[in-house]
Amino acid sequence: MRQPLVAGNWKMNGSRASVRELLDGIKHGIAEVGGAEVVVCPPFVYLQEVQDQLAGTAIAWGAQNLSTEGSGAFTGEVAASMLLDFGCKYVIVGHSERRSYYGEDDALVARKYAVARAMGLVPILCVGETLEERETGVTEEVVGRQMDAVIDLEGVEALQDGVIAYEPVWAIGTGVTASPEQAQEVHAYIRSRVAGKSTSAAESLRILYGGSMKADNARELIGKPDIDGGLIGGASLKADDFLAICRAAG
Ligand code: PEP
C-alpha cells in the first residue's frame, strides 16, 4: 500500500511575511488531512524559517534543486549536505523549468538524483513531455528516456528510494490539467516500465501527478490506480487550496 504524497513546489515565490502566514495556515489545517504525507518545498532562503516552524509537526519539507558537487568553489550552488543541515527530507530534481530555462539535461538530472540519494535525501524526479511531443505521439519515448537516464546510472532499485512526478509541460502553470485518463495512461506506462525491470520497485514507487492540480480536480486524479498524489505549484501558495488537495489525497 503506497502512502499518498502531496508536495508543494513554491517555486520562486514568497517573502518572509508570506512564508510565515502560509506555514501558519498549513499547520492549522494539517490535522484534518488524514493519511497523506505532506511536503513543502520553499526557495532555499526560507528553509530556516520552514525548519523552525515545521520541526516536530507531521509536515516534511524539501528543496527545489541541489548541486551535484559536495562543497567548494561553485558560486551560487547549494549542496545536499546543506539541505540536510536544514532538515530537508526531499529534493525536486529535473523540474521542467530547470530543464528548459537552465539547460539541465537528462544526464545532469540523473547525477543530481544520484547525489541526493547517496546523501539520504528523497529525490522527486520530474518527467514529462511538451505539447509538441504529445501531439507528435512521443510522450512515452520522452518520459522513458528521462527515466532511463536515472535507471542506467543508478539501477532500477534507485527508484525505490525516490518519487517520480509526471508533469506534462503543457499543464504546468497553464490552468490546463491533464484529464484523469490521460494522466493515468502515462502513470501506468511509468509503472510498467519499472515493472519490466523490478516488480517490487514498481509496486512501491510513488508516482505523483503535477500540472494545474487544484482542489476541484485532485480527487478524480488521485483516485486513479497509478496516481499516488500530486506535485503542486500555484495551488500550494494558498493554505486553504493546498490543504484541500491534501485532504483529497488523504
Ligand atoms: C509545478 O511547477 O510543479 C506545477 C505542477 O505547477 P502548477 O501546479 O502551477 O501547474
Side-chain angles (χ1 to χ4, degrees), residues 6 11 20 22 41 63 98 103 116 133 179 209 222:
V6 180
K11 311 196 188 195
R20 252 178 246 131
L22 180 53
C41 298
R98 297 220 54 90
E133 289 163 341
S179 69
Y209 169 79
I222 299 172

Side-chain angles (χ1 to χ4, degrees), residues 9 11 95 97 167 171-173 210-213 231-234:
N9 172 15
K11 311 196 188 195
H95 191 281
E97 287 150 16
E167 298 207 307
I172 296 177
S212 300
M213 193 188 269
L231 180 57
I232 320 298

Side-chain angles (χ1 to χ4, degrees), residues 59-79:
I59 308 159
W61 60 95
Q64 300 170 17
N65 186 24
L66 84 169
S67 175
T68 54
E69 304 298 331
S71 68
F74 301 100
T75 302
E77 291 288 277
V78 175

